[in-house]
Amino acid sequence: MSKPGSAEGQAHTGTKRFISGVVEGFYGRPWTMEQRTELFKREQKWGLNAYLYAPKDDYKHRMYWRDLYSAEEAGQLIALISAAKQHDVEFIYAISPGLDITFSNPKEVAALKRKLDQVRHFGCRSFSLLFDDIETEMCPADKQAFGSFADAQVAITNAVYQHLGDPETFLFCPTDYCAAFCTPNVSQSSYLHTVGEKLLPGIDVLWTGPKVVSHKISVESIEEVSSVLKRAPVIWDNIHANDYDPQRIFLGPFKDRPTELIPKLGGVLTNPNCEFYPNFVAIHTLATWCKATAEGAQRDVEMGDEDQDPCYSPQKALTLALTDWLQEFLSTDQPGGPCRLKKESSDEEPMQMDMGESSYAPGPGENPLYTAEPLSLDDLKLLSDLFHLPYEHGPTARAMLQELDWLKKHSRAAAAETDKTAEWHSRAQQFDDMCDAVVQMFNRLSNAPNRSILYDLYNYICDIKSGVGLARAYVKTLGGQSGPSAQPMNEDPEPWGFRGGLSGEFQRMLPCHGNRDLFRHPPTTVYSIRQYCTEDKLEVQRISREMQSAGESKVPLMMQPPLLCDGLSAGEISPSPQCALVLEDEMGVCGYALALTDAKPAATKIQRAVSESVFKDFPSLVTVQVLPRVTDPSPAKRMIGRLLSSIRSSGSRGVFCELRQNDRRMRDFYAKLGSFKPVQIPGLPGDIFAMGTSL
């Protein structure tokens, strides 16, 4: 494929191939050198061409980035880079200095160049600078030297790129690497605009999509960010990443990225599960996606009418991957591995082996030798369904949840004769059969010859087997059955009867737990909205101070420029009549919404000059704050809705609010209301931005 484009924002110029492959960019134990070499073999076999070396917990990649590699470490990297070349895989070395680099210090820049020069001497020709997951507050020295954080990053990236001789592949990961991080949005992000305008055109930009872990990545969203960056991004795809949740692993297909994206991107790199061997499906299905043609020709996968994408079927790509993966499961990876699997009858002569005394044949009346059922493709399909993707379960998993939900809701039919009693027992048996299939899959996986894959999966399949066992016993109890299998809990349970340890206890106590569950239950907290009174002044002040203190800024509050609404929250300016509300829960006041129908007195109080044109369109000022314990967004939305209605009744034509750049929580709140949009106010301090809506 071709290169991301010029300053005009063209997607490709035809001078660079489409980057496709794997980024080892997760938090946790890095892969071994042997596993990486195995990865290169797979990439070559499947048609992928790149590997980005960026393990977050490799000391000398991130935390101790200044330190040069020792002779032993150098030897390993030289061998790894050589192995990548042997398999036609581009080795891209990434370094992440953003935790503590001083951009304006020439010694720091020299240290960065020295480190990359060392890696270049190892034979590496492709590089990446990463500034993800770091603090955005610059140190005083950098503030004096650079106009913005983006200016600092771009300056050092350009310098390193030129020092290395303008490498053919050089990737830059911005701090705002997804749409959710952009202030106020992608198209108006000053950070991204600086990157797009000042980053040298030969440098590609990494991007994760709408979110850190993006459910879907649309053509429109890529066209938007490409326009701002003045080049097509390279996707760092976290759809299979699991470093944020030790109880989940993702074995579903690469999906929800239309193949129309291919000509509009510089490439796609998947950042998959921490465990190496279970990434077979993630990488295999990405390779199938990359081979799809934008013209709609059917290539590796025959399409069905049910698929929206004419070039790629996730389900059929998954079947291809699982079919190939099954062969790896069935190959012994250790000397003397398990070999007594039940096989179909065959006319072939058994292989003669001199096993000495270990060749045991049971006599009459003795127990027969244990022989394991061989793993099947259906087992792997079930495994993928149970551990599918971050935003969805597979079909079988969804069916199990739906059946359990129905059985719970209609449990009376199990205890007394009703018109649903027969159906209940029939569906209970179906659920039990599905649970049994999980247990049998576990048994066959546990006996698979390839132990390396099994060990990477073992904790996960043990956990799901236990969880399914609890659900199975619960349904038996509902059906009136007794016995050990129907007693998941009693007064003195075994430890597997209460899941998740301390983390599980915390989660069950939180009101937001399970907010992505298939079956949601309404929140139990009752909120009330009432008119503000003078007795609420101290509570409003307390909430305001608490939320200011919880901000992300390192600058002391006293040194931050004031907001127009500060006087309202502090009680120094009284809100307009009928334009003040408070939100209460069982613990007391937990939020407020205050307004001035005429915002000019607030501007006068802090001696801020505001253009008359702003007051003409947005004469009124509003401030809203809600404590973090209010996890349900709807009460706050109702409160702001009532307040805006009162302001509209006063004759106002528009209202605006001021927020600090680092107040991401309230910024997201206003943005999700849908009606509030960014407002340009000349002379506004740099760390303050405004949003407004017409009434």
Side-chain angles (χ1 to χ4, degrees), residues 571-586:
E572 297 167 357
I573 301 176
S574 298
S576 298
Q578 305 302 311
C579 290
L581 300 169
V582 293
L583 181 68
E584 285 185 314
D585 60 12
E586 67 273 9

Side-chain angles (χ1 to χ4, degrees), residues 358-629:
S358 63
S359 181
Y360 170 74
E366 295 181 342
N367 283 328
L369 290 176
Y370 175 80
T371 53
E373 293 281 349
L375 193 67
S376 69
L377 181 60
D378 286 340
D379 289 324
L380 294 189
K381 288 180 178 179
L382 175 57
L383 180 68
S384 175
D385 274 2
L386 300 178
F387 299 98
H388 206 60
L389 290 169
Y391 295 97
E392 63 179 285
H393 301 298
T396 302
R398 290 198 301 271
M400 293 182 75
L401 290 170
Q402 289 163 352
E403 285 301 301
L404 180 58
D405 184 64
W406 188 92
L407 292 167
K408 283 177 59 181
K409 287 179 177 176
H410 299 86
S411 58
R412 288 185 180 179
E417 275 302 320
T418 71
D419 58 344
K420 291 188 179 296
T421 298
E423 181 184 3
W424 193 96
H425 287 289
S426 173
R427 294 179 72 158
Q429 184 59 53
Q430 291 175 17
F431 181 76
D432 192 76
D433 291 343
M434 288 190 283
C435 293
D436 186 64
V438 174
V439 174
Q440 297 308 316
M441 176 209 67
F442 172 87
N443 292 337
R444 287 188 282 267
L445 273 172
S446 299
N447 290 299
N450 193 313
R451 312 309 283 172
S452 296
I453 308 176
L454 171 67
Y455 298 152
D456 271 357
L457 289 170
Y458 198 76
N459 287 344
Y460 299 103
I461 62 175
C462 278
D463 186 66
I464 193 62
K465 177 194 173 195
S466 181
V468 163
L470 291 173
R472 191 180 192 183
Y474 172 69
V475 171
K476 287 181 182 296
T477 303
L478 291 180
Q481 298 185 37
S482 59
S485 65
Q487 299 297 326
M489 294 291 289
N490 54 44
E491 293 182 358
D492 184 23
E494 295 281 4
W496 55 79
F498 40 95
R499 311 293 297 152
L502 180 61
S503 175
E505 296 289 347
F506 280 132
Q507 291 180 40
R508 284 185 284 273
M509 292 177 69
L510 300 178
C512 58
H513 178 55
N515 63 356
R516 294 291 310 181
D517 289 350
L518 188 63
F519 307 104
R520 301 191 182 188
H521 301 282
T524 55
T525 305
V526 177
Y527 297 98
S528 62
I529 301 169
R530 61 171 174 79
Q531 288 290 329
Y532 168 92
C533 60
T534 54
E535 289 77 11
D536 296 319
K537 180 177 177 180
L538 292 178
E539 284 298 298
V540 168
Q541 291 174 343
R542 178 185 62 80
I543 293 173
S544 176
R545 288 194 302 270
E546 183 175 332
M547 299 313 299
Q548 286 179 342
S549 300
E552 299 174 5
S553 177
K554 294 181 179 178
V555 180
L557 288 175
M558 296 298 294
M559 298 179 62
Q560 297 180 28
L563 302 174
L564 288 183
C565 59
D566 284 350
L568 263 176
S569 301
E572 297 167 357
I573 301 176
S574 298
S576 298
Q578 305 302 311
C579 290
L581 300 169
V582 293
L583 181 68
E584 285 185 314
D585 60 12
E586 67 273 9
M587 297 173 65
V589 176
C590 54
Y592 61 83
L594 311 175
L596 290 172
T597 54
D598 181 3
K600 291 180 181 178
T604 302
K605 180 170 182 58
I606 64 171
Q607 300 179 344
R608 168 101 61 81
V610 180
S611 168
E612 281 296 326
S613 62
V614 174
F615 285 138
K616 180 180 178 182
D617 293 331
F618 306 100
S620 303
L621 174 71
V622 66
T623 180
V624 177
Q625 198 55 264
V626 180
L627 290 174
R629 73 174 189 246

